[in-house]
Amino acid sequence: MSEGHRTDEPAVEVVPAEVAARLDAPTRAVLTDPGWRRLHPVTPVLRAWKAVAAVLAVVVVQNGDDLLRLDLPGWVLTLSILGGLLLLAVVGAVYSALAWRRTRYRIDAEAVHVERGILWRQQRRAQLDRLQAVDVVRPLLGRLFGLAELRLEVAGGSGSKVSLAYLQEEEAQRVRNALLAASAGVVVAEGEDAPEAPQREVVEVPPTRLIVSTLRSGLTIWMVLGLIGIGIGCWFAKSLTPLFGSLAGVLGLVSAVWQRFSTGFNFTVADAPDGLRMSHGLLEQRSQTVPPGRVQALRITQPLLWRSAGWWRVDVNVAGYSGESGKASEQSTTLLPVGTLDELGLVLAIVLPDLGTGTESPLDVVRAGLTGSSTEGGFTPAPRSARWLDPLSWRRRGYRVTEHAFLSRNGRFVRGLDVVPHARTQSLGVSQGPVQRRLGLASVVLHSTPGKVKPRVDHLDPATAARLLAEQTARSRAARAGSGPERWMSR
């Protein structure tokens, strides 16, 4: 049985003509040259090598054992492989060059326009007032040529991302500054470029802490156990057959561990007038800017092996990142890969400057949600009957509502706390499975932008769940109506 209420009705607001003119005026000159532009001429080279690397990886992983069994001289096999890769590189370069010739972009007062395609022409239009984040990505090979990729994350679900790859680093920064200024409603004199907003560094993750936290993660433990199991299998089989049979899984685990270290390397969080800024990456460096109010939901977690060190991880949902997966999702949605409680407080002060806790310290409320149980910290806990469905962590389950946010805690071995601003709640629902019905329990689900954070409160009393649904619906509707215009500098 399930029921839900939508809370995303648009607020109707009458804007005077003079106010509307003032809001539109700042973006009449986003760039000094508003015409069509092309990407950097080296772009086809950077795109072609990716195709060669992808095909080579598939051949090695899926056919590595068969290649070793071929009854061919070594030099013949080597020349065949090199010749195939060379042919593939030439074909990829030609196709990339044609694609580059048919790709161009233009930025006007309202949107970013991108045209591309060889056989099928595509036109993309990204509204500036729907801009969720702007990333400047510098891959290892691109840095050798002084190039960067500009990624625009726009609200709109899967496929809403707009990528401009590749631009000169100076041009990428200039376009980024112009887009953030235009989407904020900052007045820029016509014929001048928007200046870069100053930033204040808040948190920097030391490499030693990142390494130790990665070694303490469950992912590393599973990788070590997997390698030990494969080694034992090869020893009993007296061959490398078990290794080739498990190569894809081994590479996946190793890649995941390396990705966590590589993407979290040199991680810094800074505060700036144009939003939250994050910079990180070892091989591929990434600079992210999330404008104010774009974080839809936030989740704080602490694995069991991090508890003695007092470390926490913060992930977020951002509308523009909802369609990403894998490595891109890991990079985009991590707000703090590993940090202390004090650093967590500094980050929360930027993302959620006011939880609406009155005279209580916001950090004390968050701490109670992270480590407390039962009614500690003013949380409403799950009833005692929930122990039949969740015998280990039912005391940890609960929720608290403040003036500006909804908090839900859970997890005994992996502690977790979800925080959702009222204005960012998309919809709510109540669900009740057959076992829950028999025990007199129900769950409340808050629907945020798709992402890692999936806020919900399980195993509540049905009367409490129904009351929470009605009250939270009213809070969310009122918060959304008073959230102000998308261009935050005009509020």
Side-chain angles (χ1 to χ4, degrees), residues 1 9 12 19 22 49 100 126 155 226 236 273 304 316 321 326 339 348 372-373 377 395 447:
M1 178 180 67
E9 300 92 339
V12 178
V19 176
R22 188 169 68 252
W49 82 267
W100 172 80
F236 278 107
L304 181 62
V316 295
Y321 295 134
L348 290 179
S373 61
R395 292 182 182 274
H447 301 134

Side-chain angles (χ1 to χ4, degrees), residues 207-271:
T208 53
R209 184 199 301 169
L210 180 65
I211 294 173
V212 175
S213 65
T214 303
L215 294 177
R216 287 190 179 190
S217 66
L219 196 61
T220 303
I221 295 175
W222 280 112
M223 182 191 71
V224 172
L225 292 177
L227 291 175
I228 292 175
I230 292 173
I232 294 174
C234 292
W235 184 77
F236 278 107
K238 305 299 183 182
S239 70
L240 297 179
T241 301
L243 176 61
F244 284 111
S246 307
L247 190 58
V250 172
L251 291 178
L253 286 173
V254 173
S255 175
V257 173
W258 167 254
Q259 172 189 322
R260 175 163 295 188
F261 170 76
S262 179
T263 58
F265 186 80
N266 199 26
F267 201 104
T268 59
V269 181
D271 187 18

Side-chain angles (χ1 to χ4, degrees), residues 184-206:
V186 175
V187 176
V188 178
E190 192 165 359
E192 296 183 3
D193 291 331
E196 183 173 1
Q199 68 177 30
R200 175 179 63 90
E201 187 173 300
V202 176
V203 175
E204 181 178 0
V205 179

Side-chain angles (χ1 to χ4, degrees), residues 376-391:
E376 293 180 39
F379 278 73
T380 300
R384 188 173 180 82
S385 55
R387 71 186 186 278
W388 299 107
L389 289 177
D390 191 4

Side-chain angles (χ1 to χ4, degrees), residues 76 117 139 158 168 248 255 282-283 285 448:
V76 174
S158 178
Q168 284 187 338
S255 175
L282 179 59
L283 299 181
Q285 297 178 352
S448 172

Side-chain angles (χ1 to χ4, degrees), residues 438-485:
R438 190 166 186 85
L439 294 174
L441 301 173
S443 299
V444 176
V445 182
L446 278 74
H447 301 134
S448 172
T449 298
K452 287 186 175 182
V453 188
K454 304 181 186 301
R456 60 183 295 132
V457 187
D458 287 321
H459 314 325
L460 293 176
D461 177 82
T464 303
R467 183 174 65 254
L468 175 61
L469 178 70
E471 294 175 353
Q472 190 62 22
T473 299
R475 292 189 196 97
S476 301
R477 183 181 292 113
R480 290 170 68 88
S483 60

